[in-house]
Amino acid sequence: MRGMEGVVFVLLFSLSTMVACAVAVIAWRRRRSAPAVGTVAVVSASTAVWSGTAVFGRLVPVPELVALTGAAAMIAVSVMTSAYLCQSLAVADRGWRLSRRMALWLSVEPALFAVVLLTDPWHRLVIASTGLDGAGNIVVGFGPLFWAHTAYGAALVLAATARLARAWLHGPRSQRRLHGFVLFGNVPSALGGAASLLGVTGAVEAALFQAVAPLGFCVSAALTYWALARLSLHELVPVTRTHLFDMISDVVVTADGSGRVLDVNPAAARLARRLTPDLPDRLVGLPITAVLGGMPVADRLEDGLEVSLTVTDARDRTVDLDMRVSALNDSRGEPVGWAVVARDVTALNDQRRELQETNDRLHEQVATIEALRANLAEQAVRDTLTGLHNRRFLMESLQRQMRLAASEGTPLSVALLDIDHFKQINDRYGHGAGDQVLARFAKLVSGRIRADDVVARYGGEEFVIVLPGATGEQALERVDALRAWVAAGRMPAAGRTLTVTFSSGVATLTGKQSPEELLHAADEALYEAKRAGRNQVKLAVAEPDPSAAAA
């Protein structure tokens, strides 16, 4: 029976070694997928070392070698229990990372125990004695430090199991399946550890009890890896709640069907206390109306409701919010609660208002610039003394009016006016008086013309009136009436009242004339009026159209 028991012992430990090695290799290759997978690899590797040394010690029953392999197994167990604790922490909290401080603390006991094992031949506090019994089996006596080491490992295993149990009972509902399966998968390791302890202490005589421990840890590691890889590995990806919920800048509040708050993120908590500073420390369980400061949306939770509102905080500062309400449904599609997401758009609205104000100022500046440009353009075609259009504008306007008259077949006439004896006014009363006469004369003439007519200062004391739609006789009659009206009036200049008259020549568009040719014809008629004694209007003699004569 002892021989058969030894064969089974070797087979179980060999199986544990092979399975643990396989799990360790597979898990190590996928260690970057999640922190928990890497810890499974370390637990499996330590289990493989433990099982392998046990097989070697059984196949080579030399007391000195048994002591050496036993020391290696003890160190492997120390590493395994530390990795087992890290594995449970990583499964329970997907945001967990092995910190340097924790790694240092967990490495203290294995390092000290390794030193104690190396010096054990001198103090015998770990392995007190080794030898063979009457049946040829190796008998090992353990010292007090072995039992302290065993108690430390058991404490780590119990702490790991308690952390998993807590996560299973109180953790997120979506991850309870994973936590429960990993917790169930650790049962073989717990039973194996208890059975191995019974075998070591001699509470039972079967050596097979000692083989159950590494086999149990091997089964637990395999089950844990399967649970991570097949059930919920995506839930252990290193994307923490901190990054998805706590660090989000938007306000997020969830409530149950009755309107009681289930959870709030830090942004929501800050806004709630900004609106209502005397809220209790714990916001979960409060009515959502209290947390949202009595906002109208809190009283009418509707799926898909979107609203923009402005609220006032406790310091009388306004807060602009864009809010949206969404229903939370269970697996059957039934509504079980609400999610309210709000974004503080105060800064954005301030920027929009500033941008609008800047845009308005820009439009005002553009309008001012346009007005200045138009004024400059107008000044460019105005005579500074009289305010009438200048010669440049006259020629452009006359060109347009002549093309229009030719295309529509309507008459067009021009009148060239010259103030009589203007040089005498300058010589007798000064150029200041002459300027006053020019300005007053321009005002009188511009006030007596039609809206469609154009009056411009041609140069010096000469003025031109463009009369669209007027024949030569009509233009002559109108300009002569203007002459009589000016001659009948009096003009103040240099403290005196002067009588001013003008002579004028009128020309009518008769064919394909240029503006210069039409004005020249009016100028010829003007000189005729001057030769006739001034203060009169003459009509230019129409010259025959060369094209008509040729026909």
PDB file of all heavy atoms in Angstrom, residues 217-233:
ATOM      1  N   PHE A 217      -4.149  24.209  -5.638  1.00  0.00           N
ATOM      2  CA  PHE A 217      -3.750  25.517  -6.150  1.00  0.00           C
ATOM      3  C   PHE A 217      -3.666  25.508  -7.674  1.00  0.00           C
ATOM      4  O   PHE A 217      -3.972  26.499  -8.338  1.00  0.00           O
ATOM      5  CB  PHE A 217      -2.397  25.914  -5.557  1.00  0.00           C
ATOM      6  CG  PHE A 217      -2.516  26.560  -4.205  1.00  0.00           C
ATOM      7  CD1 PHE A 217      -2.350  25.819  -3.046  1.00  0.00           C
ATOM      8  CD2 PHE A 217      -2.817  27.911  -4.094  1.00  0.00           C
ATOM      9  CE1 PHE A 217      -2.458  26.417  -1.800  1.00  0.00           C
ATOM     10  CE2 PHE A 217      -2.928  28.513  -2.852  1.00  0.00           C
ATOM     11  CZ  PHE A 217      -2.757  27.763  -1.683  1.00  0.00           C
ATOM     12  N   CYS A 218      -3.219  24.376  -8.235  1.00  0.00           N
ATOM     13  CA  CYS A 218      -3.135  24.267  -9.691  1.00  0.00           C
ATOM     14  C   CYS A 218      -4.523  24.350 -10.323  1.00  0.00           C
ATOM     15  O   CYS A 218      -4.733  25.069 -11.299  1.00  0.00           O
ATOM     16  CB  CYS A 218      -2.450  22.958 -10.063  1.00  0.00           C
ATOM     17  SG  CYS A 218      -2.340  22.687 -11.826  1.00  0.00           S
ATOM     18  N   VAL A 219      -5.481  23.630  -9.736  1.00  0.00           N
ATOM     19  CA  VAL A 219      -6.853  23.674 -10.253  1.00  0.00           C
ATOM     20  C   VAL A 219      -7.437  25.085 -10.112  1.00  0.00           C
ATOM     21  O   VAL A 219      -8.094  25.603 -11.017  1.00  0.00           O
ATOM     22  CB  VAL A 219      -7.730  22.639  -9.529  1.00  0.00           C
ATOM     23  CG1 VAL A 219      -9.190  22.804  -9.926  1.00  0.00           C
ATOM     24  CG2 VAL A 219      -7.255  21.230  -9.847  1.00  0.00           C
ATOM     25  N   SER A 220      -7.173  25.735  -8.994  1.00  0.00           N
ATOM     26  CA  SER A 220      -7.689  27.091  -8.780  1.00  0.00           C
ATOM     27  C   SER A 220      -7.123  28.071  -9.795  1.00  0.00           C
ATOM     28  O   SER A 220      -7.835  28.917 -10.346  1.00  0.00           O
ATOM     29  CB  SER A 220      -7.347  27.564  -7.362  1.00  0.00           C
ATOM     30  OG  SER A 220      -8.032  26.777  -6.403  1.00  0.00           O
ATOM     31  N   ALA A 221      -5.816  27.959 -10.069  1.00  0.00           N
ATOM     32  CA  ALA A 221      -5.199  28.850 -11.045  1.00  0.00           C
ATOM     33  C   ALA A 221      -5.790  28.638 -12.433  1.00  0.00           C
ATOM     34  O   ALA A 221      -6.055  29.593 -13.175  1.00  0.00           O
ATOM     35  CB  ALA A 221      -3.689  28.641 -11.066  1.00  0.00           C
ATOM     36  N   ALA A 222      -6.003  27.349 -12.793  1.00  0.00           N
ATOM     37  CA  ALA A 222      -6.577  27.053 -14.105  1.00  0.00           C
ATOM     38  C   ALA A 222      -7.997  27.596 -14.223  1.00  0.00           C
ATOM     39  O   ALA A 222      -8.377  28.189 -15.239  1.00  0.00           O
ATOM     40  CB  ALA A 222      -6.553  25.551 -14.358  1.00  0.00           C
ATOM     41  N   LEU A 223      -8.792  27.391 -13.161  1.00  0.00           N
ATOM     42  CA  LEU A 223     -10.166  27.893 -13.186  1.00  0.00           C
ATOM     43  C   LEU A 223     -10.201  29.426 -13.229  1.00  0.00           C
ATOM     44  O   LEU A 223     -11.029  30.025 -13.929  1.00  0.00           O
ATOM     45  CB  LEU A 223     -10.930  27.379 -11.961  1.00  0.00           C
ATOM     46  CG  LEU A 223     -11.250  25.875 -11.946  1.00  0.00           C
ATOM     47  CD1 LEU A 223     -11.905  25.492 -10.620  1.00  0.00           C
ATOM     48  CD2 LEU A 223     -12.160  25.503 -13.111  1.00  0.00           C
ATOM     49  N   THR A 224      -9.315  30.060 -12.471  1.00  0.00           N
ATOM     50  CA  THR A 224      -9.272  31.524 -12.463  1.00  0.00           C
ATOM     51  C   THR A 224      -8.913  32.070 -13.833  1.00  0.00           C
ATOM     52  O   THR A 224      -9.531  33.027 -14.334  1.00  0.00           O
ATOM     53  CB  THR A 224      -8.266  32.025 -11.420  1.00  0.00           C
ATOM     54  OG1 THR A 224      -8.658  31.550 -10.129  1.00  0.00           O
ATOM     55  CG2 THR A 224      -8.199  33.542 -11.407  1.00  0.00           C
ATOM     56  N   TYR A 225      -7.895  31.458 -14.468  1.00  0.00           N
ATOM     57  CA  TYR A 225      -7.519  31.929 -15.789  1.00  0.00           C
ATOM     58  C   TYR A 225      -8.667  31.730 -16.784  1.00  0.00           C
ATOM     59  O   TYR A 225      -8.940  32.601 -17.615  1.00  0.00           O
ATOM     60  CB  TYR A 225      -6.277  31.206 -16.298  1.00  0.00           C
ATOM     61  CG  TYR A 225      -5.926  31.609 -17.708  1.00  0.00           C
ATOM     62  CD1 TYR A 225      -5.303  32.826 -17.967  1.00  0.00           C
ATOM     63  CD2 TYR A 225      -6.250  30.794 -18.794  1.00  0.00           C
ATOM     64  CE1 TYR A 225      -5.010  33.218 -19.260  1.00  0.00           C
ATOM     65  CE2 TYR A 225      -5.959  31.183 -20.096  1.00  0.00           C
ATOM     66  CZ  TYR A 225      -5.340  32.389 -20.314  1.00  0.00           C
ATOM     67  OH  TYR A 225      -5.058  32.782 -21.593  1.00  0.00           O
ATOM     68  N   TRP A 226      -9.344  30.583 -16.690  1.00  0.00           N
ATOM     69  CA  TRP A 226     -10.464  30.336 -17.601  1.00  0.00           C
ATOM     70  C   TRP A 226     -11.555  31.385 -17.403  1.00  0.00           C
ATOM     71  O   TRP A 226     -12.139  31.888 -18.368  1.00  0.00           O
ATOM     72  CB  TRP A 226     -11.019  28.934 -17.361  1.00  0.00           C
ATOM     73  CG  TRP A 226     -12.140  28.598 -18.304  1.00  0.00           C
ATOM     74  CD1 TRP A 226     -12.050  28.060 -19.535  1.00  0.00           C
ATOM     75  CD2 TRP A 226     -13.549  28.794 -18.062  1.00  0.00           C
ATOM     76  NE1 TRP A 226     -13.294  27.906 -20.101  1.00  0.00           N
ATOM     77  CE2 TRP A 226     -14.241  28.345 -19.212  1.00  0.00           C
ATOM     78  CE3 TRP A 226     -14.280  29.290 -16.996  1.00  0.00           C
ATOM     79  CZ2 TRP A 226     -15.617  28.385 -19.313  1.00  0.00           C
ATOM     80  CZ3 TRP A 226     -15.661  29.340 -17.099  1.00  0.00           C
ATOM     81  CH2 TRP A 226     -16.316  28.891 -18.246  1.00  0.00           C
ATOM     82  N   ALA A 227     -11.815  31.710 -16.125  1.00  0.00           N
ATOM     83  CA  ALA A 227     -12.845  32.722 -15.843  1.00  0.00           C
ATOM     84  C   ALA A 227     -12.451  34.085 -16.406  1.00  0.00           C
ATOM     85  O   ALA A 227     -13.272  34.814 -16.986  1.00  0.00           O
ATOM     86  CB  ALA A 227     -13.079  32.832 -14.340  1.00  0.00           C
ATOM     87  N   LEU A 228     -11.179  34.429 -16.262  1.00  0.00           N
ATOM     88  CA  LEU A 228     -10.731  35.717 -16.765  1.00  0.00           C
ATOM     89  C   LEU A 228     -10.754  35.769 -18.288  1.00  0.00           C
ATOM     90  O   LEU A 228     -11.144  36.765 -18.897  1.00  0.00           O
ATOM     91  CB  LEU A 228      -9.315  36.014 -16.256  1.00  0.00           C
ATOM     92  CG  LEU A 228      -9.156  36.197 -14.747  1.00  0.00           C
ATOM     93  CD1 LEU A 228      -7.701  36.450 -14.409  1.00  0.00           C
ATOM     94  CD2 LEU A 228     -10.023  37.330 -14.232  1.00  0.00           C
ATOM     95  N   ALA A 229     -10.295  34.658 -18.913  1.00  0.00           N
ATOM     96  CA  ALA A 229     -10.152  34.656 -20.365  1.00  0.00           C
ATOM     97  C   ALA A 229     -11.467  34.433 -21.089  1.00  0.00           C
ATOM     98  O   ALA A 229     -11.663  34.958 -22.186  1.00  0.00           O
ATOM     99  CB  ALA A 229      -9.147  33.582 -20.781  1.00  0.00           C
ATOM    100  N   ARG A 230     -12.376  33.675 -20.494  1.00  0.00           N
ATOM    101  CA  ARG A 230     -13.599  33.300 -21.204  1.00  0.00           C
ATOM    102  C   ARG A 230     -14.842  34.038 -20.740  1.00  0.00           C
ATOM    103  O   ARG A 230     -15.769  34.240 -21.523  1.00  0.00           O
ATOM    104  CB  ARG A 230     -13.834  31.789 -21.042  1.00  0.00           C
ATOM    105  CG  ARG A 230     -12.712  30.927 -21.591  1.00  0.00           C
ATOM    106  CD  ARG A 230     -12.530  31.146 -23.072  1.00  0.00           C
ATOM    107  NE  ARG A 230     -11.444  30.334 -23.621  1.00  0.00           N
ATOM    108  CZ  ARG A 230     -11.040  30.387 -24.877  1.00  0.00           C
ATOM    109  NH1 ARG A 230     -11.623  31.214 -25.712  1.00  0.00           N
ATOM    110  NH2 ARG A 230     -10.025  29.646 -25.295  1.00  0.00           N
ATOM    111  N   LEU A 231     -14.868  34.397 -19.481  1.00  0.00           N
ATOM    112  CA  LEU A 231     -16.091  35.022 -18.961  1.00  0.00           C
ATOM    113  C   LEU A 231     -16.061  36.540 -19.080  1.00  0.00           C
ATOM    114  O   LEU A 231     -16.888  37.137 -19.755  1.00  0.00           O
ATOM    115  CB  LEU A 231     -16.312  34.615 -17.502  1.00  0.00           C
ATOM    116  CG  LEU A 231     -16.658  33.145 -17.263  1.00  0.00           C
ATOM    117  CD1 LEU A 231     -16.884  32.913 -15.775  1.00  0.00           C
ATOM    118  CD2 LEU A 231     -17.904  32.752 -18.053  1.00  0.00           C
ATOM    119  N   SER A 232     -15.095  37.174 -18.439  1.00  0.00           N
ATOM    120  CA  SER A 232     -15.169  38.633 -18.335  1.00  0.00           C
ATOM    121  C   SER A 232     -13.798  39.279 -18.402  1.00  0.00           C
ATOM    122  O   SER A 232     -13.489  40.179 -17.636  1.00  0.00           O
ATOM    123  CB  SER A 232     -15.854  39.028 -17.008  1.00  0.00           C
ATOM    124  OG  SER A 232     -17.135  38.482 -16.913  1.00  0.00           O
ATOM    125  N   LEU A 233     -12.959  38.856 -19.309  1.00  0.00           N
ATOM    126  CA  LEU A 233     -11.655  39.486 -19.413  1.00  0.00           C
ATOM    127  C   LEU A 233     -11.791  40.964 -19.777  1.00  0.00           C
ATOM    128  O   LEU A 233     -11.006  41.797 -19.337  1.00  0.00           O
ATOM    129  CB  LEU A 233     -10.796  38.761 -20.459  1.00  0.00           C
ATOM    130  CG  LEU A 233      -9.368  39.275 -20.634  1.00  0.00           C
ATOM    131  CD1 LEU A 233      -8.607  39.195 -19.320  1.00  0.00           C
ATOM    132  CD2 LEU A 233      -8.638  38.511 -21.728  1.00  0.00           C
TER     133      LEU A 233
END
